[in-house]
Amino acid sequence: MTSGDFSCEEKLMRECPELHKRYCNSLLASVRVLVNYRAVFPDYTDHSYLHTMNIINYCNRLIGENIYSMNCGEIYVLMMAAALHDTGMGISADDYREFLTENDFGVTITSDSAPDPNVIRDLHHELSGCFIRKYSMLFEIPDEFVYPIVQAARGHRRTDLYDANEYPKQYRAGGYVISLPYIAALIRLADELDISAERNISLDRNVSEVKNAYSISVWKLHSLIKDVILTNSRCIVLVDKNKLDSSDSAELSKWVEKLRTVADYTAGVIAERTSYSINKRIVAVEYV
């Protein structure tokens, strides 16, 4: 563990017990909701509560000294959005039809359409936003915090964090001023970092049991990566050289380049649109 471990949890518990209690009370509901992704994606890598905890752990490390400047509203939004950012992966058939009918996501469905895993995977960040909005009371989210949590959860992929309408620099909720671009950028980068083999350690299966072609490539990539380590200046991807073969190199290179792209993008958002800072890290691969 590093000095940044649990810094968000500890500050929220110490300085705002009421929001910390709401967060803790929401965890059981979020755990039960998140495991539903397996009904839609039986071959998928872990997207359960353990994944969300990894996201929060990475956020703690990315935040570093910024924790002293963050207010409790920002920490609450960060932790809730991280915990709920993948709830759209396991929505019910009724919610699937409702969310796609009521929102212009560019997908046409009928009243009896069954959930399409390809649509859900492609739009799960938007579906997560819809789910959080609809079931905010289940997670004890105060009304004034629903919007920033929805936006931060949606922001873990694709959304334009430079859009001042979607991600205002200073959003006011519950007496706090929340830097939405900063919160969303942290979650987006943390989500990209969570790709080591340890992520799937709780799943009782291995890549040989996976049948879906896309999932096979992702599982293989996860199995190759022993860890992703953050230092002040580097993001080190530790690759198991004993498992690596020539067929894996292209997929590994593609992911490393994607990580570099996301790291550069989120660093730019934080530098240009927030008062916070983030270390500029070189993404490096080491074979061990």
Side-chain angles (χ1 to χ4, degrees):
M1 292 191 295
T2 68
S3 59
D5 286 338
F6 307 112
S7 56
C8 284
E9 294 91 329
E10 290 173 352
K11 181 168 182 174
L12 191 63
M13 179 174 61
R14 183 176 62 253
E15 298 186 9
C16 190
E18 190 263 333
L19 285 180
H20 183 263
K21 182 178 180 180
R22 285 181 179 272
Y23 168 72
C24 291
N25 288 348
S26 75
L27 293 183
L28 179 59
S30 69
V31 169
R32 296 182 65 181
V33 166
L34 286 166
V35 296
N36 291 337
Y37 85 92
R38 295 179 186 172
V40 182
F41 301 99
D43 283 349
Y44 226 56
T45 51
D46 184 69
H47 280 71
S48 72
Y49 177 68
L50 296 176
H51 168 56
T52 69
M53 289 298 94
N54 287 343
I55 300 304
I56 293 176
N57 288 340
Y58 273 119
C59 284
N60 276 322
R61 296 171 189 181
L62 292 167
I63 286 168
E65 297 297 308
N66 289 329
I67 190 66
Y68 301 112
S69 301
M70 292 178 70
N71 62 59
C72 290
E74 290 175 314
I75 295 172
Y76 175 69
V77 169
L78 171 70
M79 294 176 66
M80 288 298 297
L84 302 175
H85 79 282
D86 275 340
T87 48
M89 295 285 287
I91 58 175
S92 67
D94 286 341
D95 280 343
Y96 173 83
R97 291 187 285 267
E98 176 186 323
F99 297 159
L100 289 178
T101 300
E102 294 183 355
N103 296 274
D104 183 16
F105 294 145
V107 177
T108 301
I109 63 169
T110 62
S111 59
D112 60 349
S113 291
D116 183 332
N118 292 320
V119 171
I120 292 175
R121 183 168 57 216
D122 193 49
L123 292 173
H124 75 268
H125 58 301
E126 298 290 2
L127 298 175
S128 293
C130 295
F131 187 91
I132 296 166
R133 191 178 295 109
K134 179 176 180 178
Y135 295 105
S136 60
M137 291 183 65
L138 174 67
F139 303 108
E140 298 190 19
I141 302 173
D143 289 345
E144 61 269 29
F145 283 103
V146 172
Y147 179 80
I149 291 171
V150 165
Q151 291 302 95
R154 288 180 61 237
H156 84 272
R157 68 194 297 266
R158 291 194 180 176
T159 58
D160 182 5
L161 303 185
Y162 284 98
D163 187 332
N165 292 318
E166 292 284 295
Y167 294 94
K169 291 182 178 181
Q170 295 184 322
Y171 184 86
R172 297 183 180 276
Y176 298 101
V177 177
I178 297 167
S179 177
L180 266 178
Y182 180 59
I183 303 303
L186 286 173
I187 295 174
R188 183 174 298 192
L189 179 53
D191 189 59
E192 203 66 39
L193 291 167
D194 189 29
I195 197 170
S196 73
E198 185 182 45
R199 171 170 171 178
N200 303 308
I201 199 168
S202 67
L203 299 183
D204 186 23
R205 63 192 323 190
N206 57 53
V207 68
S208 65
E209 301 173 271
V210 178
K211 307 304 179 186
N212 177 274
Y214 173 80
S215 293
I216 288 172
S217 66
V218 178
W219 270 83
K220 285 192 72 177
L221 182 60
H222 280 227
S223 69
L224 291 173
I225 299 174
K226 300 184 75 170
D227 203 354
V228 180
I229 298 174
L230 298 179
T231 70
N232 286 336
S233 60
R234 302 174 76 205
C235 172
I236 306 169
V237 182
L238 297 182
V239 177
D240 189 339
K241 63 183 179 183
N242 296 317
K243 293 183 178 181
L244 184 68
D245 60 47
S246 57
S247 64
D248 302 318
S249 297
E251 191 66 27
L252 177 62
S253 297
K254 184 170 69 175
W255 178 79
V256 169
E257 187 54 39
K258 184 184 177 188
L259 175 57
R260 289 191 179 111
T261 299
V262 172
D264 288 344
Y265 176 80
T266 52
V269 168
I270 292 170
E272 295 177 36
R273 303 207 62 232
T274 82
S275 61
Y276 293 107
S277 62
I278 190 169
N279 288 346
K280 185 72 172 177
R281 293 177 173 90
I282 297 172
V283 178
V285 179
E286 293 186 5
Y287 299 90
V288 295

